[in-house]
Amino acid sequence: MALSNSQHDHFMRMYEQRQLDNENRLRSRFEEVYRRLPQMKELDDRVSALSLEKAKKLLSGDASALQSLKSELKNISLQKHQLLTSSGFAPDYLELQYTCPDCQDTGYIDNKKCHCFKKAIIDFLYTQSNLQEILEKENFDTFSLEYYSQNHIDPLTGRSSLAAMKTALSSCRHFTDSFGKEFHNLLLYGDTGVGKTFLSHCIAKELIDQSFSVIYFTASQLFDIFVKNRFEKDPDVQMDYEHIYDCDLLIIDDLGTEFTNSFTAAQLFVCLNERILRRKSTIISTNLDLDGLKNLYSERVFSRITSAYTVLRITGDDIRIQKKLMNKY
Ligand SMILES: [Zn+2]
């Protein structure tokens, strides 16, 4: 999906509004300070008068007078600073505060879209659709370990479903806590309906709240884009690729349920590889076991995943867990 012109205008208006709002906030902070500290108003008036004088001297070429004006202005600025902080205000209280200091709320840095703009687009195109609603229900606050049993033993590992979920949960917590500082990828695999998607939702919610850009696709949606890109050189699909490679977190849910052929398997490799090269994190969830993954997508995909991903196996009594998870809300 690409932005239409009117959608682009919508974002530009959003930035204009943001600038206006921040200017208005600054204006009311000035009013508040002037009310509480009338000396501040006097100092500011003095600055205006001196600045005017400075401009006149500059035009007349009076260099020595200019120097003394400059030092007087510096002196006043020091007095203002002291007045402000000694009255309990933050030192930058009378400075314009940007919502995004990196682009100063213009959306662009050196003619390139700022990270805040890219995130706004991704939220708008991908996240807004239906994920937001799900994330209100499925997040770390609503997740509970009580649905995982100590008695349900995984025949493959000999671990209980409770122990496996505790490990998975702490890995997911570490993933979100260190996001942006450390580079991690996760593969969540195991039985159907035991909370793999729920866990990826928990992470998505946490990171979206921290202003990271997150794209969530089921494997079928992602593979649809691969196929479309092959047959229709649609600019919208190119745009999708840019976002898929570049978003802070890509979640691919339910890998293995989509229709796979050698072309889509190769594209999956390109996608996962590209993101590793860019050090952008990916979470994959699948009901396949590791052998199934290898058989379906080739040795190359398999070894890329196992070498660069933290592999978490989750098992459990699915019906029990699903029922309890659903009953919570
Ligand atoms: Zn920005």
Side-chain angles (χ1 to χ4, degrees), residues 18-34:
R18 197 172 277 179
Q19 292 168 16
L20 279 176
D21 290 346
N22 286 330
E23 281 161 21
N24 285 334
R25 279 187 205 108
L26 178 63
R27 200 163 302 132
S28 27
R29 288 201 299 277
F30 263 104
E31 282 165 9
E32 179 196 354
V33 171
Y34 285 169

Side-chain angles (χ1 to χ4, degrees), residues 159-175:
R159 300 184 77 202
S160 70
S161 75
L162 178 65
M165 187 41 102
K166 276 186 179 168
T167 306
L169 195 58
S170 85
S171 293
C172 290
R173 284 282 194 191
H174 178 72
F175 184 90

Side-chain angles (χ1 to χ4, degrees), residues 15 100 102-105 107 114-117:
Y15 280 109
C100 175
D102 294 334
C103 65
Q104 304 197 333
D105 299 334
C114 177
H115 57 84
C116 69
F117 195 177

Side-chain angles (χ1 to χ4, degrees), residues 14 68 102 127-128 185 252 254 258-259:
M14 175 191 87
S68 77
D102 294 334
T127 318
Q128 231 181 28
N185 302 290
I252 307 172
D254 248 348
E258 75 294 333
F259 173 73

Side-chain angles (χ1 to χ4, degrees), residues 8 12 36 44 51 98 107 151 153 161 172 174 190 199 229 241 244 283 312:
H8 186 269
M12 288 297 101
R36 282 180 52 190
D44 272 340
S51 302
Y98 297 104
N151 304 321
I153 304 296
S161 75
C172 290
H174 178 72
L199 271 185
N229 181 54
Y241 266 90
I244 289 167
I283 297 177
L312 298 168

